[in-house]
Amino acid sequence: MWPYPKVIAHRGGGILAPENTLAAMRCGLEHGFAAVEFDVMLSKDGIPVLMHDPEFGRTVSGHGAVADTLAADLQKKDAGKWLAERFAGEPVPLYADIVHFCRQHGIWMNVEIKPAPGVEEETGRVVAEQTQALFADVAVTDDLHLPLFSSFSFSALMAAKHAAPTIPRGFLMDKVTRDWKACLQELAARALHTNHKYLTPEMTKEIKDGGYGVFCYTVNTPERATEILHWGVDAFCTDRIDLIPADF
Ligand code: G3P
Ligand code: MG
């Protein structure tokens, strides 16, 4: 049901490093995390890059949109300085480069497909195609060496399913809605990823009894982590890799 690690570093290194950068992946690894979640979006020229926000302004300074910017120009942008001066010059990474780094260091990946508005299907398809090529040497049954896709976008995940059916999927729902099972069935997903704030023990049991894994975001205290694990939640991501160890 959930063959993956239990504690996952959110956006690479949680609060300790600039999200969705190579520095974040290194930071997670230094803290003992061999499991990571990050967000993937398409550049203007259709290249998957790591990015959470579709618009610049928070992690990348200035104005403009990721979907209007070429990958080569995104790679020149500073995605580190916003957090701390010591991260200045940390670039927006290409998804392919992060996959290489993670595979080299044995880091398992939850790849969140994060489409810019209006390009959901294209993002799901392109990320899935590239992922399939990057993992072509891995057996389809080798769960720990294949990534797990997730997305809030049903259509992006459907497109990923069509393009790369052998890469597993989890569906992200902020609040679990009544149609959760139908969604998971149509996606042939193996897990439901949801906000721990709205999850209940009863709902956890229902999803688990349905044969699916339950993953929660973003759990930042050990007390809450203990509580939801007690409910039967399989795994969670955390920003507080300083408070919640990988072997929690
Ligand atoms: O994949 C879990 C979590 O990352 C979803 O929310 O906004 O942090 O990408 P967000
Ligand atoms: Mg995410």
Side-chain angles (χ1 to χ4, degrees):
M1 229 188 315
W2 184 268
Y4 309 117
K6 184 168 62 177
V7 192
I8 292 152
H10 189 223
R11 305 184 190 176
I15 61 162
L16 300 185
E19 64 184 56
N20 292 318
T21 64
L22 185 57
M25 307 305 143
R26 287 191 201 284
C27 175
L29 196 57
E30 281 163 14
H31 282 76
F33 278 77
V36 72
E37 183 268 2
F38 54 77
D39 307 293
V40 178
M41 196 175 286
L42 294 188
S43 65
K44 182 179 183 179
D45 42 344
I47 313 276
V49 300
L50 265 62
M51 185 65 70
H52 185 278
D53 300 3
E55 306 280 337
F56 303 142
R58 186 175 63 87
T59 63
V60 169
S61 65
H63 299 284
V66 176
D68 296 334
T69 309
L70 296 171
D73 293 327
L74 287 167
Q75 288 181 279
K76 291 179 200 146
K77 291 197 178 286
D78 189 324
K81 195 177 176 179
W82 68 276
L83 187 66
E85 196 57 45
R86 70 179 186 283
F87 293 116
E90 186 66 35
V92 173
L94 300 183
Y95 170 53
D97 290 343
I98 295 296
V99 168
H100 286 308
F101 177 85
C102 289
R103 290 199 63 185
Q104 195 178 4
H105 291 91
I107 302 171
W108 177 77
M109 288 160 266
N110 171 201
V111 176
E112 186 188 337
I113 302 171
K114 196 73 125 179
V119 286
E120 286 80 6
E121 287 182 24
E122 184 191 349
T123 306
R125 176 180 58 79
V126 172
V127 172
E129 285 171 354
Q130 187 173 50
T131 303
Q132 198 159 50
L134 288 165
F135 290 87
D137 58 317
V138 181
V140 297
T141 51
D142 191 353
D143 289 322
L144 284 172
H145 292 99
L146 285 179
L148 174 68
F149 287 143
S150 61
S151 188
F152 289 105
S153 168
F154 184 85
S155 54
L157 270 186
M158 279 303 285
K161 178 189 165 192
H162 285 126
T166 58
I167 308 287
R169 292 162 298 283
F171 188 39
L172 268 160
M173 294 182 124
D174 191 36
K175 283 184 186 166
V176 180
T177 53
R178 279 164 189 246
D179 61 345
W180 69 268
K181 201 175 215 175
C183 294
L184 292 191
Q185 283 171 342
E186 201 173 340
L187 290 164
R190 62 168 55 174
L192 184 64
H193 296 215
T194 192
N195 191 332
H196 74 96
K197 290 179 183 164
Y198 309 118
L199 190 64
T200 62
E202 294 73 27
M203 185 53 75
T204 305
K205 186 176 182 322
E206 192 181 326
I207 301 163
K208 301 270 307 169
D209 286 350
Y212 299 100
V214 181
F215 168 99
C216 281
Y217 65 91
T218 301
V219 181
N220 289 333
T221 65
E223 295 76 20
R224 182 61 170 165
T226 300
E227 184 177 24
I228 62 167
L229 290 173
H230 187 68
W231 294 351
V233 167
D234 294 289
F236 61 90
C237 63
T238 182
D239 290 322
R240 296 308 303 265
I241 64 171
D242 53 335
L243 297 179
I244 303 176
D247 62 354
F248 184 77

